[in-house]
Amino acid sequence: MELNHHIDVYGLRRRVFNHTVSKTYLKLKEIAQFRTYDEGYQRERDLEHEAKIIEYLKTSSNKYLPDIIISVRHQSINFAPTNNYLLSNSDMYIKKITSYNMLRLYIWDDNAFNNVRIIDGNHRISAIKKLLEESPTSELADFEIGVTFIFTQDREGDYEDELALFYYLNSKAKPLLPHDYLNEATENLSDEKAKSIDWWMYVFKTSNTKFTNMFKDYYIDINKLKNNISMACDYLAKKTPVDDEDGILDNFFDRMRTLSGDGDIIPLLRNFIEQNKLYNFINIFFYLDRLVDDIDKMKNEFIYFYDWLKNEANLDDFDDFENLYKTYKETYVPKDFKIFVAMEFYGRDKYFNAIERAINKVKDDTGLPLECIRIDKLQKGHTYQIMDEILNQIQRNGLLLADITNKNANVYLEVGFAMGLAKAKGMENQIMLFVEKADDGSANVGFDLQSYQQNRYDYGDTGDLRDQLEAQLLEYYKRFLV
């Protein structure tokens, strides 16, 4: 079948190592006639990659495609020095122009493509085909692209050479990494020029400038800063919708400036920097920014997630944080909502039941994920030292609820430990004291705790204990209900 566009080109002829090669140019409408292949040594077709090539050709003001490398393999090709026609048949001919060291390739029939294989450029040709099928009259049809033809006889050794060349070209190329763009891409391009090249480039460039200004004072080693920021910019650029009509980026940068200077966040920021993981710090915040509207809630969510990663999941590598976050949401109760109950348990089950009912009532009323922890009911799956675990739980949980009735020595130890811990951290005590009072209103409280506020409930009256505890918990947790 005769071609719509005959291919008649002259190319510079050279002997490159063990190949006869000709370099030339073809119009896109000519190259679109070549057959693409999914079989043989070609890698699996990547439709997303093809779509990006089409979008690039449609929108970029700096159009350029790398040379396509094509094998013309025919058993009748004759490389004899005295022979002017390498090949001549009813489909095409290949002729030497000896005086200029050139070749003329003339293809007029579709059957010629039975002897043509794409070594490098299968996706480019496929994208060009689709583009011109969608827009046959596109001005791009007459744009030219570089083509390298490699001529071989159809022998076993030639095919093996062709196969080796394919794998070399497609497996040895080193992809650009994010930090490879921290040169002209971020220093010499205007924002508008970066945007005209590629949206990813624009987001990468603008993000790099903002993050550098935010975090440069934390770094002495400028290369570590650059590498971390480049990985963060790459993540943002891939996750930000093209043209960002909702202003996701600007909103995030505003929040990031505020949060990176927050007193509760700075210690965590320093931890990430010490581990050379600043990019994780930025990326996790960007991920949360799209899930949590309120900046204070986003801050708390970051703190809770980091606590879960470090203390429950026991992880130092957070690169898979998107999947880890899903697990965290299914399993984690934040420290602020864990209530450790310290009391004398022997013979006082009805009092603990009243405490537990009060906690569950507040949990239902507020929607907060409150969790009541009682040491003798704690399941860890292994043998442990009870006192060591008590102290560990006090450190790991937000609120200590202590019933100091009967001046139990262990309860007093736990209260003292919690007070000392709060003092060492420069925090207010996160402790509620309850004690059963006598008919005259007095309570038997040790000297060390007499000056601290106590919630005194009526002797034997678990309802009074429950009511007082509900009121105290609602007051304590109202800051989380804003």
Side-chain angles (χ1 to χ4, degrees):
M1 183 178 68
E2 188 169 329
L3 297 179
N4 291 328
H5 306 286
H6 288 191
I7 295 173
D8 187 4
V9 290
Y10 293 83
L12 188 65
R13 172 172 60 92
R14 286 290 187 273
R15 184 73 177 170
V16 179
F17 296 105
N18 55 326
H19 297 290
T20 296
V21 172
S22 177
K23 285 185 172 290
T24 186
Y25 298 89
L26 292 177
K27 295 179 179 180
L28 296 194
K29 63 186 180 185
E30 295 171 333
I31 204 72
Q33 299 176 116
F34 283 77
R35 297 175 189 171
T36 53
Y37 295 90
D38 291 315
E39 71 276 5
Y41 50 68
Q42 288 294 337
R43 54 186 164 186
E44 184 177 352
R45 190 73 59 83
D46 185 340
L47 298 180
E48 182 180 354
H49 180 44
E50 289 180 4
K52 287 181 177 179
I53 296 173
I54 293 172
E55 184 65 20
Y56 167 74
L57 289 173
K58 286 181 177 178
T59 63
S60 177
S61 61
N62 298 279
K63 296 177 180 63
Y64 183 82
L65 290 176
D67 282 18
I68 291 171
I69 300 177
I70 296 175
S71 164
V72 179
R73 190 190 334 142
H74 199 291
Q75 60 185 6
S76 299
I77 288 180
N78 186 346
F79 293 110
T82 56
N83 184 43
N84 284 334
Y85 281 90
L86 271 67
L87 178 69
S88 180
N89 58 30
S90 59
D91 307 322
M92 65 175 173
Y93 71 74
I94 307 167
K95 182 182 178 182
K96 291 181 186 177
I97 311 296
T98 306
S99 57
Y100 294 101
N101 207 20
M102 299 182 75
L103 282 179
R104 182 183 182 187
L105 174 66
Y106 189 15
I107 301 176
W108 58 83
D109 194 280
D110 182 72
N111 286 327
F113 295 133
N114 292 329
N115 299 100
V116 172
R117 288 292 183 275
I118 311 304
I119 296 178
D120 189 53
N122 207 41
H123 282 89
R124 273 162 275 161
I125 294 178
S126 180
I128 292 167
K129 282 179 179 289
K130 290 180 181 178
L131 176 66
L132 296 184
E133 285 171 3
E134 293 173 6
S135 306
T137 59
S138 170
E139 63 178 8
L140 294 174
D142 288 320
F143 276 62
E144 292 187 325
I145 183 174
V147 179
T148 299
F149 287 101
I150 298 177
F151 302 96
T152 69
Q153 293 174 321
D154 198 11
R155 298 176 303 186
E156 183 177 350
D158 290 330
Y159 176 72
E160 289 176 350
D161 287 345
E162 182 182 312
L163 183 64
L165 183 58
F166 168 81
Y167 280 111
Y168 183 83
L169 289 170
N170 288 279
S171 67
K172 299 301 181 184
K174 181 181 178 182
L176 288 173
L177 298 174
H179 65 260
D180 293 322
Y181 291 89
L182 296 179
N183 39 61
E184 285 83 358
T186 53
E187 294 174 6
N188 298 327
L189 283 178
S190 67
D191 289 353
E192 287 305 312
K193 189 66 174 179
K195 189 183 293 186
S196 71
I197 295 173
D198 185 71
W199 175 254
W200 180 95
M201 179 70 78
Y202 168 73
V203 176
F204 185 91
K205 178 187 183 303
T206 55
S207 301
N208 174 75
T209 303
K210 290 180 171 66
F211 288 144
T212 299
N213 291 333
M214 272 186 222
F215 301 110
K216 62 184 179 182
D217 293 339
Y218 287 94
Y219 278 85
I220 297 175
D221 187 337
I222 194 64
N223 287 324
K224 283 187 177 181
L225 173 63
K226 284 185 175 181
N227 287 337
N228 272 271
I229 287 179
S230 70
M231 288 188 280
C233 293
D234 180 51
Y235 180 78
L236 264 65
K238 290 175 179 175
K239 297 293 184 178
T240 304
V242 175
D243 294 332
D244 190 19
E245 294 179 357
D246 295 328
I248 290 172
L249 276 179
D250 288 340
N251 180 66
F252 170 67
F253 290 133
D254 288 342
R255 289 191 180 193
M256 193 81 254
R257 286 187 200 95
T258 301
L259 290 169
S260 60
D262 185 279
D264 293 329
I265 295 297
I266 288 175
L268 305 187
L269 168 60
R270 293 189 185 279
N271 287 342
F272 278 92
I273 290 173
E274 286 172 5
Q275 297 175 44
N276 200 29
K277 296 279 188 177
L278 173 64
Y279 67 93
N280 275 151
F281 176 86
I282 297 170
N283 293 349
I284 291 172
F285 261 125
F286 185 70
Y287 180 72
L288 294 178
D289 185 63
R290 293 168 295 154
L291 300 177
V292 184
D293 292 333
D294 183 80
I295 189 170
D296 291 326
K297 290 181 179 178
M298 187 168 82
K299 178 183 110 172
N300 288 334
E301 188 72 352
F302 182 88
I303 292 171
Y304 299 151
F305 184 38
Y306 182 72
D307 179 65
W308 178 84
L309 287 166
K310 293 294 290 183
N311 297 313
E312 294 198 16
N314 295 315
L315 295 174
D316 289 318
D317 184 358
F318 310 145
D319 286 356
D320 191 29
F321 64 85
E322 290 190 12
N323 287 323
L324 290 169
Y325 184 77
K326 296 173 185 176
T327 304
Y328 150 82
K329 292 300 287 184
E330 294 172 356
T331 62
Y332 181 65
V333 176
K335 174 180 178 178
D336 286 320
F337 304 131
K338 291 183 178 182
I339 304 170
F340 184 76
V341 179
M343 63 181 293
E344 181 181 29
F345 294 112
Y346 181 74
R348 295 182 62 81
D349 282 347
K350 67 177 184 178
Y351 295 96
F352 175 76
N353 291 338
I355 291 171
E356 193 170 40
R357 286 198 298 273
I359 292 172
N360 287 333
K361 178 67 164 54
V362 175
K363 177 180 180 179
D364 292 340
D365 289 347
T366 62
L368 298 175
L370 304 184
E371 181 179 327
C372 177
I373 298 172
R374 172 175 165 172
I375 193 63
D376 64 331
K377 301 293 185 182
L378 188 66
Q379 301 294 325
K380 289 184 68 67
H382 59 82
T383 301
Y384 58 91
Q385 286 281 350
I386 291 179
M387 184 50 66
D388 288 346
E389 186 58 31
I390 287 173
L391 300 182
N392 179 54
Q393 287 293 329
I394 292 172
Q395 292 186 74
R396 292 289 315 285
N397 299 307
L399 176 64
L400 176 67
L401 197 161
D403 188 335
I404 56 176
T405 302
N406 298 334
K407 295 195 294 186
N408 181 278
N410 286 336
V411 176
Y412 271 63
L413 172 63
E414 292 157 24
V415 171
F417 179 76
M419 288 181 172
L421 186 66
K423 185 175 182 180
K425 292 184 176 181
M427 300 167 50
E428 293 183 357
N429 289 325
Q430 307 295 309
I431 302 170
M432 287 185 187
L433 298 178
F434 287 80
V435 62
E436 194 173 46
K437 66 183 179 180
D439 291 339
D440 63 1
S442 64
N444 187 10
V445 178
F447 173 79
D448 290 344
L449 296 180
Q450 284 181 2
S451 62
Y452 289 89
Q453 178 190 357
Q454 303 135 25
N455 299 284
R456 298 185 176 187
Y457 58 91
D458 293 336
Y459 178 79
D461 189 346
T462 56
D464 186 35
L465 169 61
R466 187 173 65 249
D467 291 343
Q468 288 196 49
L469 178 55
E470 284 182 20
Q472 290 288 343
L473 290 175
L474 286 170
E475 179 65 23
Y476 180 82
Y477 284 112
K478 70 179 182 181
R479 60 196 168 110
F480 294 101
L481 301 176
V482 177

